[in-house]
Amino acid sequence: MTKDKELEIQMQFLEEATDYLNTLEGVLLEIDTSKRIELEHINAAMRAAHSIKGGAAMMGFRVLSDLAHKLEDAFKVLKTQKDSLELDTHLQSLLLSSVDWLRQIVELLAKGNNLDHNWLRKFCYPVFDELYERLGEPTPENIATLLSSEDDAEIIPLLFETEVEEYLQHLEARLKNANKSGLRAELVIMATELGGLGEMLQLTAFTQLCQSVSHYLEINPDSCVEIADLALKAWRQSQTLVLSNQLGNLPNRIDFGEVINDNSSEISNQQDYLLNKSIISDFQLLENVELSPESVDKVLASDNLPIDYKYTERKTDINSHPKERENQENTVRVPSKHLEKINDLFGEVIIQRNGLNVQMERLRKLVRNLSQRVQILDQENQELRTAYAKIITHNHLPEESPNHSNQEAENNFIEQDSYQKLNLLSQNVMETIVQVAEVTSDIQLSVDDTDQITRKLNKTSKQLQRQLTQVRMRPFSDLVERFPRAIRDLNVEYGKNVQLKIEGGNTLIERGILEALNEPLMHLLRNAFDHGIEDPTTRKNQGKPEQGLIEMKAAYHSNRTIITIRDDGQGISLDKIRHRALTMGLDDSLLAIASDEELLSLIFEPGFSTSEQVTALSGRGVGMDVVRNNLKLARGDVNVDTQAGVGTKFTLSVPFTLSVARVLLVESDRLVLAFFTDVIEEIFLLEQEQIFSQNGKEFINWQNNQLPLLRLNSYFDFNCSRYNNLELETLPIINATSVLIVKHDHQQVAVQVERCWGEQEVAIRQVEGNIPLPSGFDNCTILGDGRVVPLINTNDLVSWITTGERPHISNKLPTTRLQTAFLKPPKVPTLNQPSRQKGIILIVDDSINVRRYLALTLEKGGYQVEQAKDGQEALEKLESGLQVQAVICDIEMPRIDGYSFLERINNNTELRNIPVAMLTSRSSSKHRQLAMQLGAKAYFSKPYNEQELLRTLEEIIFQIPETT
């Protein structure tokens, strides 16, 4: 084996050892309040420690192997004395410290460092010595106790996976060694010891198998190599069957056949025969046996596979059932840098895919233009032939004078000849046009075929994108697996009793985002423990359980990952926040009108803390701004909700992936810019009447909220060329000045743009170099036509509106204003505001599903709903006395349609004042115009915009002027 290959195998084992250490730590952290440890958890810990011991010995890591052996012995003592031994906090700490030392040694070895034995003797060995003094070592009686426990079914596979595995690995190594001296003696001892194990486990067939090996060694001492080979295969087969719970199919002998002659050729032939027969019998025996993935691994491991295969992903989940463990898929470890390179290349594929789509659209346009030109050319040729024919006919009309000179006859002949030539040329042109038309048709067919291939490529690339994204994902549990240990240590150190509950551990999160979440989550966890959870005495006096609870949950919502951290502590004091803000210079008039949500947002300011003392536990004097800043790097945000005496909840929101995103392309001041679609709530045309000024700033009304208006062209200042005629391959979806409602940290701002070009899925590219991007931009993307488009940073947008200037880097809290925005201006006082009590809306539509869906929208808007299946039923309800605020009516309905319903409503003096809005699938202007002429107050096409419908409905009910 080469040095590089050996090093690779060692590194793979050390990665696997980390998984086993996580299992050990998980077992120790799950010790319940009765200071007992579950039997199945002890077994899992024994397997993990044993696996580290055996693997480390084979890899040459002797210190790691010896220490893991000591830890395994400790768990054996724990198992034999589980009913009499109390696991107090000190013993639990000793066991956890032992795991910590094994982890440190693994990390040192993984970095290629040599172990300092003086350092180990001074710091490490005393921990294991103290553990030995506390527990002692397992005695021979302990083994019998282990086997006589109620968990025999678990012990048998455990011993075959550990003790028997050691024997078999040693025999495999011995057979590979060219020096076979002493093999017979070793094999006799091995068969005797394994036979004794079979008797202890009451596995009669396995005991007989070992006796068979000893018998053939006695009568054929010169054939020990052949017997050893057959014994190894039979023992491997037995191990496979035991691990797959097929004890009834264990072989009871090796089939050595006739006594082998001294003739070497006969020995060779019979050896081949015996080997083949043994293999055939093995497969015949296994033919009807269902094997788990681990069992298949055992079978494959018997065929002299490299060592690194045997130590690939043999994880044990202490909380999983055996059947669940059997269904685990085999995995392959790949360096993360390789995945990042693949992801970068796939980003280029997306750019090129978009470029291909652009070129295909351009080609389709060219083919359409060519087809149109051919048609025009054909028409013009026909018109030319017709015009010339008329001229010839006119020139050959008979004249009244009978006198015709020879010259005229000759001229007529020349004209006739010219006409024939022109006619022939026209025929040639016609044939050419037909041929060009045929070529155009062929090109069109080829474009259609290419278009189909392009669509398949788009579909395949999207599937590949999803799969690649999955590969780059890691479970949430990878990030929080150390948190239970941290809470346990904090409980011991600070005398609290706090339980950490984690849900959604299987939620997959992209590696880069997971790393960005590490520090914020740990900070929030420590903060909840320190400031949130009260001490046990205080909790008891308040009628709470003495044990506090911190819940951490991860889940998907839309295209984002939501992580919540909730505690049942004392909550965050808003009064303390106000007092702290006043001492730091915030205007008390702003504090007086600030909402609870805006006050809570202040805790994320640099240097802002409500704690009276700076502690090493929660932040070490560093504020919650670390949480917000780290989340910004991952395009995430955080929100906090608290209730005094009940607890606090932090909600972290991050995108599903950072490498690919959907963006909205917009134009501002002749530049193309991109917004992430997940921050856009709505797009609508900007009308001047919507804008009003206050305190020198512009605002607009949106859903009864006053939002700051940001005109991008007044903030961006570039010294670069502009496009005089900015055109992309596609037409803009909104070719007029528009407003984007952009959300950030649950606040909204209005952004003015000149045009919107629609959505695209793009690859995000970081701008590298010594010159950073200007403020307000977050990386860039490349469109299909090669155009580089910057991505807007919404955090900077909000900061601009808050401060009225470009953001600056500062570690101090401003004396007059905060970075966290109080975006809403003081409410403009209004006099004689009419009452807007919402009442009943009548829905008229022949589709019950449409009525149900629309009813949900209206009920969310605060209305009550009545329904009618057509105009006839609606009129009957209204005429019988049903009082409604408005009617929403379809057009096409049985009995009385929408138009007839409008007419009858307007002709009824008692009903004509009821506003009617039409909701129909007919979107043409003539239908809209007819409805409005008949008295409709509003007209909507299906599908409708929910917010627009509710807003318009409120306007027509309460007669709200458009300028408000």
Side-chain angles (χ1 to χ4, degrees), residues 334-520:
V334 179
S336 59
K337 63 180 181 180
H338 292 171
L339 291 179
E340 296 304 323
K341 289 180 180 178
I342 294 174
N343 187 66
D344 289 341
L345 290 174
F346 185 73
E348 295 297 327
V349 171
I350 292 179
I351 294 173
Q352 294 166 14
R353 183 192 72 191
N354 292 339
L356 177 61
N357 292 333
V358 169
Q359 294 300 325
M360 283 300 302
E361 181 62 29
R362 182 177 298 171
L363 186 58
R364 282 191 289 267
K365 288 182 179 179
L366 292 175
V367 172
R368 287 195 296 268
N369 291 337
L370 177 60
S371 180
Q372 293 172 359
R373 298 291 173 83
V374 171
Q375 292 178 3
I376 293 173
L377 183 60
D378 181 46
Q379 293 174 0
E380 291 177 347
N381 181 60
Q382 293 292 346
E383 292 173 358
L384 179 61
R385 288 170 57 86
T386 302
Y388 194 80
K390 289 181 179 180
I391 294 174
I392 294 298
T393 303
H394 177 73
N395 289 338
H396 285 78
L397 289 176
E399 299 181 1
E400 295 180 358
S401 175
N403 297 324
H404 294 283
S405 64
N406 293 333
Q407 183 65 35
E408 291 176 345
E410 184 178 352
N411 290 339
N412 289 337
F413 177 78
I414 293 174
E415 290 179 2
Q416 184 69 23
D417 183 62
S418 299
Y419 174 75
Q420 291 177 353
K421 291 181 179 180
L422 183 60
N423 184 58
L424 180 61
L425 180 60
S426 178
Q427 290 289 343
N428 292 336
V429 171
M430 176 62 71
E431 292 179 1
T432 302
I433 292 174
V434 172
Q435 293 172 355
V436 173
E438 291 176 352
V439 172
T440 303
S441 178
D442 292 341
I443 294 176
Q444 180 65 57
L445 291 174
S446 179
V447 169
D448 291 341
D449 292 341
T450 306
D451 189 49
Q452 290 293 330
I453 296 174
T454 303
R455 292 179 182 178
K456 292 179 180 179
L457 176 61
N458 289 336
K459 181 179 179 180
T460 303
S461 64
K462 288 180 180 179
Q463 292 174 345
L464 177 60
Q465 172 192 330
R466 286 193 293 269
Q467 294 298 324
L468 181 58
T469 301
Q470 291 281 20
V471 171
R472 298 179 69 244
M473 296 286 183
R474 290 168 55 194
F476 181 62
S477 58
D478 281 7
L479 175 61
V480 299
E481 63 184 0
R482 304 299 305 277
F483 288 4
R485 172 68 185 280
I487 288 294
R488 183 262 172 197
D489 291 345
L490 291 175
N491 282 334
V492 174
E493 183 176 358
Y494 291 93
K496 286 189 176 183
N497 185 3
V498 180
Q499 176 192 4
L500 175 61
K501 182 180 179 181
I502 298 176
E503 296 181 13
N506 293 328
T507 302
L508 297 177
I509 303 176
E510 192 174 89
R511 181 183 297 270
I513 298 176
L514 204 66
E515 293 172 353
L517 287 172
N518 183 30
E519 190 172 353

Side-chain angles (χ1 to χ4, degrees), residues 170-185:
H170 177 75
L171 182 56
E172 285 175 345
R174 195 71 177 83
L175 288 173
K176 291 177 182 178
N177 194 336
N179 184 7
K180 297 297 191 296
S181 60
L183 175 61
R184 181 180 178 278

Side-chain angles (χ1 to χ4, degrees), residues 47-227:
R47 282 192 291 268
H50 189 90
S51 297
I52 297 175
K53 178 190 74 173
M58 292 191 65
M59 301 297 160
F61 303 137
R62 177 52 56 187
V63 173
L64 180 62
S65 178
D66 292 343
L67 295 178
H69 194 172
K70 292 181 178 181
L71 188 58
E72 180 190 12
D73 288 344
F75 279 106
K76 287 181 179 179
V77 175
L78 287 177
K79 181 165 184 177
T80 58
Q81 302 180 18
K82 64 183 179 66
D83 295 326
S84 58
L85 181 64
E86 181 179 354
L87 270 169
D88 55 22
T89 301
H90 181 64
L91 179 56
Q92 185 185 19
S93 298
L94 275 177
L95 291 167
L96 286 170
S97 297
S98 302
V99 174
D100 289 342
W101 277 109
L102 293 180
R103 194 184 297 275
Q104 287 190 53
I105 292 172
V106 168
E107 290 174 354
L108 288 172
L109 293 173
K111 294 177 181 178
N113 297 329
N114 293 323
L115 299 179
D116 186 342
H117 291 278
N118 292 328
W119 171 70
L120 291 173
R121 279 192 294 268
K122 185 176 181 180
F123 299 104
C124 174
Y125 295 158
V127 173
F128 288 88
D129 292 341
E130 186 177 356
L131 185 63
Y132 174 79
E133 292 173 2
R134 176 69 186 271
L135 296 176
E137 64 180 19
T139 60
E141 297 81 48
N142 294 149
I143 298 297
T145 307
L146 283 172
L147 298 178
S148 63
S149 68
E150 68 278 6
D151 197 34
D152 292 343
E154 187 72 23
I155 281 295
I156 293 176
L158 171 63
L159 292 178
F160 268 80
E161 191 174 13
T162 56
E163 304 295 337
V164 174
E165 176 67 21
E166 282 190 2
Y167 283 107
L168 300 186
Q169 288 181 5
H170 177 75
L171 182 56
E172 285 175 345
R174 195 71 177 83
L175 288 173
K176 291 177 182 178
N177 194 336
N179 184 7
K180 297 297 191 296
S181 60
L183 175 61
R184 181 180 178 278
E186 292 183 28
L187 191 57
V188 169
I189 296 174
M190 188 179 299
T192 302
E193 292 180 352
L194 288 177
L197 180 63
E199 290 180 0
M200 189 181 302
L201 297 176
Q202 298 181 355
L203 298 177
T204 304
F206 187 74
T207 303
Q208 293 173 349
L209 173 63
C210 297
Q211 292 173 349
S212 171
V213 173
S214 300
H215 171 71
Y216 282 118
L217 284 173
E218 183 179 351
I219 63 176
N220 300 287
D222 297 331
S223 303
C224 64
V225 175
E226 293 80 4
I227 296 173

Side-chain angles (χ1 to χ4, degrees), residues 131 319 327 346 370 497 506 538 544 572 606 636 767 786 849 915:
L131 185 63
N319 295 319
N327 292 329
F346 185 73
L370 177 60
N497 185 3
N506 293 328
T538 302
K544 292 183 177 181
I572 301 175
V767 178
N849 291 321

Side-chain angles (χ1 to χ4, degrees), residues 144 176 254 427 521 609 629 643 677 768 818 886:
K176 291 177 182 178
I254 61 171
Q427 290 289 343
L521 287 181
S609 176
N629 293 336
Q643 187 174 353
T677 56
E768 298 179 354
L818 298 173

